[in-house]
Amino acid sequence: MGGSVSKSKGFWPFSGSGSTDDPTKDGNEQPMARVRSFHSATPFVLTRKSSMYFDEDGDLAHEFYEETIVTKNGRKKAKLKRIQKNLTPQGIIKLEIPCIHVDFPVVLCEA
């Protein structure tokens, strides 16, 4: 279902800083990833980009095919031809159940 990963530093509020000059860091202590506090940031994904398309009739599907009749050696044969033109993407859809973002660094459950 196509997750996205942000690779730029500081873009996602749950990514660690990566700096080694932390004054709270001792030699025998390993800190967990620090969570930067952004008021609008949430570890949940509420929307995603849809992989479905609308055709010119308003039908919604992943792929569209058109049946064509091919005559070869006097015999008629039906073939399916994939339609790739005049399709409009569905766009951003809201998820019914929120998912956790792939960059969320905390272990939620230990087995």
Side-chain angles (χ1 to χ4, degrees):
M1 293 267 270
S4 63
V5 177
S6 60
K7 294 188 180 195
S8 63
K9 290 282 184 181
F11 176 72
W12 185 248
F14 302 109
S15 62
S17 64
S19 64
T20 58
D21 56 341
D22 191 4
T24 61
K25 190 174 184 181
D26 293 336
N28 59 358
E29 200 176 307
Q30 293 189 6
M32 295 185 74
R34 286 184 289 175
V35 177
R36 290 184 228 162
S37 62
F38 289 158
H39 297 291
S40 63
T42 176
F44 299 108
V45 177
L46 304 173
T47 59
R48 71 172 178 88
K49 182 181 174 189
S50 176
S51 60
M52 299 179 84
Y53 296 91
F54 289 106
D55 67 348
E56 53 276 331
D57 295 334
D59 296 329
L60 181 66
H62 288 283
E63 299 175 315
F64 289 95
Y65 292 93
E66 178 183 27
E67 186 177 11
T68 58
I69 306 280
V70 177
T71 305
K72 187 174 184 181
N73 296 335
R75 298 181 69 184
K76 292 183 179 180
K77 184 178 179 183
K79 288 185 98 176
L80 292 177
K81 180 181 175 185
R82 186 172 177 185
I83 299 174
Q84 295 180 334
K85 295 181 180 179
N86 297 329
L87 298 179
T88 307
Q90 186 182 12
I92 304 294
I93 59 171
K94 186 176 179 181
L95 296 175
E96 294 178 15
I97 301 172
C99 300
I100 295 183
H101 197 278
V102 295
D103 287 340
F104 191 65
V106 177
V107 177
L108 298 176
C109 180
E110 196 172 307

